[in-house]
Amino acid sequence: MSARPSMHVLLAAPRGFCAGVDRAIQIVEQAIAKFGAPVYVRHEIVHNRHVVERLQRIGAIFVDELDEAPDDRPVVFSAHGVPKSVPAEAERRDMIYVDATCPLVSKVHVEAQRHYNNGAEIVLIGHAGHPEVVGTLGQLPDGAITLIETVEDAKAFEPRDPASLAFVTQTTLSVDDTAEIVAALKARFPAIAAPHKEDICYATTNRQAAVKAMAERCDVVLVIGSETSSNSMRLVEVALRAGAGHAALVEDANAVDWARLEGATTLGITAGASAPESLVESLIAAVGERYDTQVEELRVTDEDVVFKLPRILTIEAAE
């Protein structure tokens, strides 16, 4: 029997769950524990099938819109944020609702509202149709925010008043792509107001930095994540741009095209912010079944961010 080929595995760190995703999952779990099953969840709580299916097994029912949930059961809003009309409708129906919007997305909502209150025209850099973008656009009246997706959009944009402009961004974008769009806007509109602090979240930034640090050494980079996960898709793009021979998004170890690894000697592995660490462990085990593996973790920074749960889940009902 021939010896198995060798594979050096570079494991990016940080990877996987961010604080906002961790909090959102805990919110669904705690809501089920507090109110009993079923608890309804508007949209996927986070963009990962494995997470969604596990929560379904313990009593979560996922719906696309609020009108699919009954008045008498609690509803959770996803980590991506929702238009203001959604909680307003829940209140009108006297529903118990828990908002799992990531606090870093809520920060963008607050910024957009502040600029609007100050009379500024607002530009949102993001991807059309993404739930986070839909939620941010829905914070203000129609037409108050213009969505810009590309450098070309930035160059074509014609504001009402170039002297009264502000921009915010989706939190899960490519750091480099966003910097190019911002540069194009600033070149045309030097007075445009920027966020007080970077809108792209710490976790997106850190996961992209870790992939950049390892990509050039990798024949192949595998990113564990869902095709609906913006931050996971960006990791594939970052890996290719940073010098990886090949990069692919895989939902789990079962989705790996092993033929792509033939002849490779160095494999990079990371996971998007909504992918559980168990999927990383399963992928490493699957690689180990086929190769003589040596695993090296490449860590660019440590993360210690924790977000508090909403008060409705942490207070006991008054006796």
Side-chain angles (χ1 to χ4, degrees):
M1 182 176 173
S2 60
R4 292 185 303 169
S6 296
M7 183 69 77
H8 188 73
V9 176
L10 287 175
L11 193 56
R15 64 181 174 275
F17 280 178
C18 61
V21 164
D22 201 39
R23 173 180 180 268
I25 294 167
Q26 284 187 58
I27 284 172
V28 177
E29 293 169 343
Q30 294 290 329
I32 293 168
K34 179 164 184 169
F35 300 111
V39 165
Y40 285 75
V41 185
R42 184 186 177 275
H43 288 178
E44 289 188 347
I45 188 69
V46 297
H47 283 152
N48 186 273
R49 179 177 62 85
H50 292 271
V51 171
V52 167
E53 289 176 354
R54 184 181 69 78
L55 293 173
Q56 284 174 324
R57 288 194 293 272
I58 64 170
I61 296 176
F62 291 86
V63 296
D64 289 328
E65 297 300 340
L66 203 57
D67 59 15
E68 298 172 58
D71 293 353
D72 62 348
R73 293 306 305 161
V75 64
V76 176
F77 303 147
S78 83
H80 311 99
V82 293
K84 278 186 176 175
S85 59
V86 174
E89 172 67 7
E91 288 178 11
R92 186 190 70 76
R93 291 170 57 186
D94 204 25
M95 300 174 80
I96 295 172
Y97 69 88
V98 191
D99 189 354
T101 300
C102 172
L104 298 179
V105 174
S106 297
K107 177 180 80 73
V108 176
H109 293 177
V110 169
E111 283 173 353
Q113 185 71 56
R114 177 172 55 81
H115 289 308
Y116 180 75
N117 293 347
N118 291 336
E121 185 176 355
I122 302 155
V123 167
L124 168 61
I125 300 170
H127 296 297
H130 188 277
E132 183 185 329
V133 166
V134 173
T136 300
L137 292 172
Q139 298 306 300
L140 298 174
D142 287 348
I145 303 176
T146 299
L147 180 64
I148 285 184
E149 296 189 82
T150 63
V151 170
E152 288 69 32
D153 290 348
K155 289 177 177 175
F157 172 59
E158 294 297 339
R160 293 188 297 270
D161 179 5
S164 181
L165 267 180
F167 77 86
V168 293
T169 84
Q170 185 180 333
T171 63
T172 55
L173 300 175
S174 157
V175 174
D176 295 337
D177 288 348
T178 305
E180 290 176 12
I181 296 171
V182 169
L185 286 170
K186 286 183 174 177
R188 294 187 64 210
F189 313 112
I192 192 168
H196 287 313
K197 195 176 177 211
E198 183 76 66
D199 280 343
I200 296 175
C201 85
Y202 77 95
T204 297
T205 302
N206 290 346
R207 278 149 193 71
Q208 289 180 21
V211 166
K212 282 182 187 177
M214 75 178 185
E216 199 170 25
R217 295 170 56 188
C218 297
D219 300 306
V220 177
V221 170
L222 296 178
V223 178
I224 301 174
S226 166
E227 288 185 1
T228 53
S229 166
S230 174
N231 78 86
S232 300
M233 297 288 281
R234 301 295 80 77
L235 289 174
V236 175
E237 296 167 1
V238 167
L240 290 170
R241 188 177 294 175
H246 172 70
L249 185 72
V250 294
E251 196 162 46
D252 52 34
N254 295 325
V256 175
D257 177 4
W258 295 103
R260 276 287 191 176
L261 272 67
E262 284 180 17
T265 57
T266 304
L267 170 66
I269 294 177
T270 190
S274 45
E277 182 66 12
S278 59
L279 297 183
V280 176
E281 293 166 358
S282 296
L283 177 56
I284 292 171
V287 175
E289 289 170 5
R290 293 163 174 83
Y291 294 89
D292 182 10
T293 55
Q294 175 196 357
V295 179
E296 173 192 350
E297 186 175 72
L298 203 159
R299 179 171 294 277
V300 297
T301 189
D302 291 308
E303 293 177 349
D304 56 4
V305 179
V306 178
F307 295 131
K308 291 180 181 175
L309 295 180
R311 195 160 174 267
I312 188 172
L313 296 178
T314 57
I315 56 172
E316 292 300 323
E319 291 298 329

